[in-house]
Amino acid sequence: MIEIPILKELVSYNAETGELFWKARMSDKTPAGKLAGSKRKDGYVCITIRGARLTAHRVAWAIHTGSWPKKYIDHINGDPSDNRFVNLRDVSQSENIQNLYAAKSHNKLGLLGVVRDKKKFAARIVVDGKRLSLGNFACPQDAHEAYVKAKKHYHIAQSQAAILAGEAVAGARIVRRDRLTIKLVTQK
């Protein structure tokens, strides 16, 4: 891992915009002051520093706090390219997984929280590391609706409580919560 003082010599971070900029000229193609990093297909911004490929959200966290994250960095609003500090928090893997808003590519039904169970469709959710069954349904849409309700109750309520308790980022507050979207702004 690159040491933080070296990182700070090479890259600057704007906590309000989430952007990283090169402080030093890295090559003919990357002069000082140029926006650092590029967006991957999955939406995450990556940056290569001294041969090490790093995600921008981890670099941003390291520069802003002065230490590398202890666990996973969660994008609170679910946007992997939004690296504003108010949108980042250091969380466990289970907390980070709670921010899934779309089914994984291997999910044949294409619905988050729904699995085929014989001739019916089961809705399931993981809360505090334990899988909870939400029931069996005749159609996958009903199972997904049960999952979304449970997600709002368990995951978003937990995230909101953590934010309001100051566990996410000091100075952040929720200003909009539509379905599964949380928008944060800094208090002035």
Side-chain angles (χ1 to χ4, degrees):
M1 193 62 53
I2 296 172
E3 294 179 21
I4 306 290
I6 293 170
L7 190 65
K8 288 182 175 182
E9 285 178 23
L10 300 174
V11 181
S12 66
Y13 170 61
N14 182 328
E16 290 183 21
T17 65
E19 296 173 316
L20 296 167
F21 295 93
W22 293 110
K23 279 186 170 179
R25 180 182 190 87
M26 301 306 284
S27 70
D28 290 338
K29 292 182 180 181
T30 55
K34 184 177 179 181
L35 190 64
S38 60
K39 193 184 283 192
R40 297 187 318 207
K41 289 179 184 178
D42 62 3
Y44 288 95
V45 177
C46 286
I47 179 172
T48 302
I49 302 173
R50 294 192 171 174
R53 189 141 172 91
L54 306 167
T55 52
H57 55 275
R58 293 184 71 78
V59 172
W61 185 273
I63 290 172
H64 196 77
T65 64
S67 63
W68 287 102
K70 291 175 180 55
K71 300 175 188 171
Y72 293 81
I73 294 298
D74 176 39
H75 290 84
I76 297 167
N77 69 4
D79 179 354
S81 66
D82 183 355
N83 293 316
R84 294 173 299 132
F85 191 73
V86 70
N87 188 45
L88 304 176
R89 62 184 181 146
D90 194 0
V91 298
S92 68
Q93 183 181 16
S94 65
E95 289 172 301
N96 196 32
I97 289 171
Q98 289 176 5
N99 255 5
L100 289 178
Y101 295 103
K104 297 285 188 182
S105 60
H106 67 274
N107 182 319
K108 292 177 183 173
L109 295 171
L111 296 170
L112 199 56
V114 180
V115 296
R116 197 158 192 48
D117 187 20
K118 298 180 184 171
K119 293 184 179 184
K120 293 197 175 203
F121 299 89
R124 298 176 182 160
I125 191 166
V126 176
V127 178
D128 296 328
K130 296 177 183 165
R131 187 171 74 185
L132 302 178
S133 175
L134 303 172
N136 290 323
F137 301 85
C139 72
Q141 290 76 15
D142 289 345
H144 181 66
E145 189 176 313
Y147 171 80
V148 169
K149 277 185 180 176
K151 185 169 182 68
K152 285 179 182 179
H153 175 76
Y154 292 110
H155 296 172
I156 292 179
Q158 286 177 356
S159 294
Q160 183 178 12
I163 292 163
L164 296 176
E167 294 174 17
V169 177
R173 66 183 175 87
I174 295 174
V175 294
R176 188 183 82 221
R177 218 176 94 184
D178 301 329
R179 291 188 45 91
L180 300 177
T181 303
I182 298 173
K183 181 180 179 186
L184 300 172
V185 295
T186 53
Q187 295 175 341
K188 302 229 176 189

